[in-house]
Amino acid sequence: MELQTPLTPRTQRTLRKLQSAHNLGAATKITSSSSTLLTQQKLRDSHSRDISPTRRQALNRSPRRHRANSDASGNANLPNLRTASSTTSLHAKRVALSRTPSAADALSLDRLIREGPPGDDVSSALATMRFKVLGQGIKSDIDGMSSSRIYIWLILLDAPVLSTDEYLKLVHRGASPAYAKIRNDTFRTLTTDPLFRRRVSEASLIRLLNAVAWMLHDGKEERRPSSSRQSLPASNSTSPSRGEVSQAFTSSPGARTRARALTLTTEGSDSNTSEPGTYVQGMNVLAAPFLYAARSEAEAFVAFHQLLTKECPGYIRGAMVGVHRGLRLVDKVLGIVDTKLSLYLTSKGLSAEIYAFPSVLTLCACTPPLPEVLRLWDFLFAYGPHLNILCIVAQLIMMRNELLGSLSPNKLLRSFPTLHADQIKAHALAIIKMIPNDVYEEIVNHAL
């Protein structure tokens, strides 16, 4: 039997280029020779690892991505933790700083993921995982990279298992109705962050956002009455659909001058406020940390889609109603915990609508450095993304002296200081004790 020549890095780059988002809008097909090479690569990857189909599906690895090659052994128990995470969610409760000890306490986070909950006690294992994330954090290097972070996120987000092939089907459908708007945003995503630019390509970000846009579009089509549905081809067209209505969000001059490497408008969102849109500007920044932390695009896709549809659907619904509710809550919480600072900012005409829009929409991902964003997200996913409202207020309190001492605090608020996740978490936990239950309930539900 003739042996196949191993693929060279150049060949692999060629395959990735052929599958890149830059070909989503093209009418040409991938040549048969390229398809053959791709098939050979997938078969060789399948035979080279002694992994069962069930476990391979649970790991959600893409064989084309170099950063998806490492094998997180023993993660067959991952779906078991995911299945029950929604039933024990703490999103409707305050952060629990004390709890009943369990057998899972003796295991590290890595062992807990690899071996599963001791005695099949999923509820206690999830509580232990959250507590360890809060107290110890997730081990990572100086660049924020961790071999277990994406799996912990998937569990905490209660993300379903998705095979890589299902993600590739969405990619191969071509350009979504939101493709042109996606391409207009992706090139300016975290442009000043060298870690992100070195690790994540624009093509990867385009593929992810386009696949999510297809999923959201399909969900909208399924909810529509059959008589009003319009068939859209799995098209090569890069133009938005005719029925897609653009609504421009008129921001204040202060908000427009804030350079955050994203456009803060609701252009491209749907006029029906009860339905989620397929893409809103700013989703590119919200997707960036998932691609940075994940080992494959498929993992990043399922985590990002779960966040949008289950945790923060209000952020992409209509005119971003959830984001605007969050902004009002930033003002309300600041007025409760620091009345003096709140009144001073109000006297200068500064409301959260002006300075906090990107921080609410992106869960603070718009503020560098990226490794600190990942550590902050560990906390948010453990106890609920709604806590981002308190994290924004915490950042304002950390800037308190500078803001009160400035005659033009709007200049300071155009760009928040670099993130310090541990300090922000400490302030957020203190704020929780200061706000009444009814306000906390509003915070919990604002993004739904």
Side-chain angles (χ1 to χ4, degrees):
M1 181 180 297
E2 183 180 357
L3 296 178
Q4 296 290 342
T5 304
L7 293 180
T8 65
R10 166 174 282 185
T11 305
Q12 292 177 329
R13 285 196 298 271
T14 302
L15 293 175
R16 289 199 300 274
K17 183 177 180 181
L18 288 170
Q19 297 297 330
S20 73
H22 298 286
N23 287 326
L24 288 176
T28 57
K29 300 290 185 180
I30 298 175
T31 62
S32 58
S33 61
S34 298
S35 300
T36 303
L37 287 173
L38 184 60
T39 302
Q40 292 171 359
Q41 183 187 23
K42 292 175 70 176
L43 288 174
R44 182 163 52 255
D45 185 79
S46 175
H47 289 299
S48 64
R49 292 185 179 93
D50 187 15
I51 290 181
S52 67
T54 303
R55 183 173 162 202
R56 189 181 305 111
Q57 185 183 34
L59 292 177
N60 291 336
R61 290 196 312 249
S62 171
R64 297 183 197 146
R65 299 295 293 270
H66 286 303
R67 56 193 172 94
N69 287 341
S70 55
D71 180 15
S73 60
N75 280 328
N77 291 315
L78 189 63
N80 297 331
L81 284 175
R82 289 185 195 168
T83 303
S85 63
S86 59
T87 62
T88 58
S89 174
L90 298 181
H91 291 189
K93 303 177 182 178
R94 297 177 185 266
V95 178
L97 298 179
S98 61
R99 58 187 181 77
T100 304
S102 68
D105 293 349
L107 303 179
S108 66
L109 282 172
D110 289 342
R111 284 191 60 191
L112 192 56
I113 296 172
R114 184 171 61 251
E115 299 177 9
D120 293 329
D121 189 353
V122 176
S123 178
S124 296
L126 285 169
T128 296
M129 176 178 289
R130 292 186 173 102
F131 199 74
K132 286 180 179 293
V133 168
L134 176 63
Q136 304 172 7
I138 298 175
K139 292 181 180 179
S140 58
D141 61 23
I142 192 172
D143 292 339
M145 300 311 302
S146 167
S147 60
S148 59
R149 172 171 279 122
I150 186 59
Y151 301 112
I152 294 174
W153 284 5
L154 289 169
I155 291 170
L156 295 174
L157 289 170
D158 193 26
V161 173
L162 179 81
S163 67
T164 301
D165 287 341
E166 292 302 314
Y167 172 71
L168 292 177
K169 288 178 183 177
L170 293 170
V171 173
H172 293 159
R173 287 174 66 175
S176 71
Y179 179 72
K181 296 165 188 173
I182 291 171
R183 289 299 304 273
N184 192 46
D185 283 347
T186 52
F187 71 92
R188 50 188 165 188
T189 303
L190 303 185
T191 54
T192 60
D193 194 312
L195 293 177
F196 178 78
R197 305 299 292 183
R198 184 175 63 208
R199 184 171 177 81
V200 181
S201 68
E202 183 187 357
S204 179
L205 184 60
I206 292 171
R207 284 192 295 267
L208 173 68
L209 292 171
N210 194 70
V212 168
W214 271 126
M215 284 286 286
L216 295 175
H217 171 267
D218 292 347
K220 290 176 61 177
E221 288 298 305
E222 291 175 0
R223 289 188 293 271
R224 287 183 183 177
S226 57
S227 58
S228 64
R229 292 181 186 175
Q230 295 181 356
S231 59
L232 283 176
S235 65
N236 296 316
S237 171
T238 60
S239 301
S241 62
R242 181 178 298 180
E244 199 168 3
V245 181
S246 297
Q247 291 182 335
F249 171 72
T250 305
S251 60
S252 66
R256 287 197 298 268
T257 58
R258 187 176 180 189
R260 289 304 186 109
L262 76 162
T263 305
L264 304 175
T265 72
T266 57
E267 181 183 354
S269 61
D270 298 290
S271 57
N272 185 353
T273 58
S274 64
E275 287 283 341
T278 56
Y279 179 80
V280 293
Q281 293 180 356
M283 279 172 58
N284 55 313
V285 177
L286 190 60
F290 287 107
L291 281 172
Y292 185 82
R295 295 185 168 191
S296 72
E297 288 180 23
E299 290 175 339
F301 165 80
V302 70
F304 181 50
H305 182 263
Q306 186 76 355
L307 176 71
L308 292 179
T309 57
K310 301 301 181 183
E311 301 290 349
C312 306
Y315 283 11
I316 58 172
R317 182 183 298 122
M320 297 183 180
V321 291
V323 176
H324 290 284
R325 282 198 295 261
L327 293 168
R328 290 192 290 271
L329 285 168
V330 170
D331 287 330
K332 181 181 288 190
V333 173
L334 182 61
I336 293 172
V337 302
D338 196 330
T339 305
K340 182 178 180 180
L341 179 58
S342 176
L343 291 175
Y344 182 70
L345 294 180
T346 302
S347 70
K348 297 295 183 178
L350 294 174
S351 66
E353 290 274 356
I354 294 175
Y355 61 80
F357 196 103
S359 295
V360 172
L361 173 61
T362 67
L363 303 183
C364 293
C366 57
T367 306
L370 189 52
E372 291 297 311
V373 172
L374 302 182
R375 295 184 182 98
L376 185 62
W377 277 26
D378 296 340
F379 169 64
L380 295 180
F381 293 160
Y383 290 98
H386 62 271
L387 291 176
N388 181 53
I389 301 300
L390 304 185
C391 291
I392 295 171
V393 176
Q395 293 175 76
L396 295 173
I397 293 175
M398 292 165 63
M399 300 170 61
R400 185 177 192 274
N401 293 337
E402 292 82 358
L403 291 172
L404 291 176
S406 174
L407 296 177
S408 301
N410 60 310
K411 295 181 180 179
L412 296 175
L413 293 173
R414 288 174 186 171
S415 179
F416 281 11
T418 56
L419 287 181
H420 295 281
D422 289 339
Q423 295 180 30
I424 292 173
K425 287 188 291 183
H427 280 83
L429 293 174
I431 292 172
I432 289 178
K433 302 176 182 178
M434 303 170 64
I435 57 179
N437 291 334
D438 59 333
V439 176
Y440 190 81
E441 185 176 357
E442 289 184 58
I443 294 172
V444 171
N445 297 320
H446 83 276
L448 302 179

